[in-house]
Amino acid sequence: MDHLGIRRFMVIGYCIGGPFIWKLVQRAPERIVASVVSQPVGFRKESNPMYDNSMQTWGPALVKQRPDLTMDMIDKFLTRMYVTNADFVFSVPRDVVRGCPAPVLVMPDETPAHPLRARHRVRDAGPEGRDDVLFPWKDSKEKIPLAVRHVRTFLKAHRPA
């Protein structure tokens, strides 16, 4: 954004984009005008599908493309990302979410990698009154256009003057 000369901006992220948004909020909260966190990945005590799936699919594919990498290196990276101190949204502590000054629309899912519980954690950690959530939003073909309209309305409502 610096390169493009954009000082303040809105963000939308799906899946791993959720933790990326929270990291942006941690690093530059004054720059985020509003965000949409859709199908956010989140930590589950009972299993770790983000680590497991990445070790089975993403890691081996990357090692094939990059002979300078090993599966041991991939394991260390994924362990740091999804296991060591794993809690909440992977990328930031709860205080970052709690202190987020910008409005957030959460569009959760309920799959192993995208636990509905992550939405509750964002709501519970956030400022009082943060409960702008859309769920379920993709369980039928009819709901998708409604969700798109909701996101557009949310972002337009929070666009800076």
Side-chain angles (χ1 to χ4, degrees), residues 106-160:
V106 182
M107 297 172 57
D109 201 357
E110 181 51 271
T111 65
H114 308 111
L116 181 60
R117 203 175 331 165
R119 175 266 179 184
H120 298 300
R121 290 179 182 148
V122 168
R123 180 200 61 211
D124 295 345
E128 227 175 286
R130 175 182 293 156
D131 199 19
D132 198 351
V133 71
L134 183 59
F135 182 80
W137 61 272
K138 63 180 190 78
D139 59 341
S140 71
K141 286 173 100 173
E142 294 77 28
K143 287 186 180 177
I144 301 292
L146 297 173
V148 170
R149 189 169 37 234
H150 188 79
V151 169
R152 286 182 176 153
T153 300
F154 174 83
L155 292 173
K156 283 180 184 177
H158 298 292
R159 183 174 41 202

Side-chain angles (χ1 to χ4, degrees), residues 55 71-81 84:
M55 281 298 288
M71 282 306 293
D72 185 53
M73 295 164 86
I74 300 294
D75 175 59
K76 286 178 182 170
F77 170 77
L78 293 172
T79 297
R80 185 166 181 231
M81 188 165 181
T84 306

Side-chain angles (χ1 to χ4, degrees), residues 7 9 11 20 31-32 36 44 51 58 60 68 70 74 82 96 124-126 154 157:
R7 177 78 188 122
F9 49 89
V11 292
F20 291 161
R31 296 183 72 179
I32 309 297
V36 178
R44 286 183 183 267
Y51 173 85
W58 174 80
D68 57 316
T70 66
I74 300 294
Y82 295 125
V96 171
D124 295 345
F154 174 83

Side-chain angles (χ1 to χ4, degrees), residues 21-121:
I21 287 172
W22 292 119
K23 188 53 84 171
L24 277 171
V25 167
Q26 181 182 44
R27 290 184 176 179
E30 72 286 353
R31 296 183 72 179
I32 309 297
V33 175
S35 62
V36 178
V37 179
S38 184
Q39 295 177 277
V41 296
F43 179 70
R44 286 183 183 267
K45 256 184 216 179
E46 62 278 2
S47 67
N48 197 330
M50 295 304 295
Y51 173 85
D52 295 340
N53 292 342
S54 295
M55 281 298 288
Q56 294 167 11
T57 58
W58 174 80
L62 184 61
V63 168
K64 280 183 185 174
Q65 292 177 342
R66 298 267 316 268
D68 57 316
L69 299 177
T70 66
M71 282 306 293
D72 185 53
M73 295 164 86
I74 300 294
D75 175 59
K76 286 178 182 170
F77 170 77
L78 293 172
T79 297
R80 185 166 181 231
M81 188 165 181
Y82 295 125
V83 179
T84 306
N85 300 318
D87 181 34
F88 195 46
V89 296
F90 298 123
S91 60
V92 298
R94 293 169 196 258
D95 287 345
V96 171
V97 175
R98 188 174 292 115
C100 178
V104 178
L105 169 61
V106 182
M107 297 172 57
D109 201 357
E110 181 51 271
T111 65
H114 308 111
L116 181 60
R117 203 175 331 165
R119 175 266 179 184
H120 298 300
R121 290 179 182 148

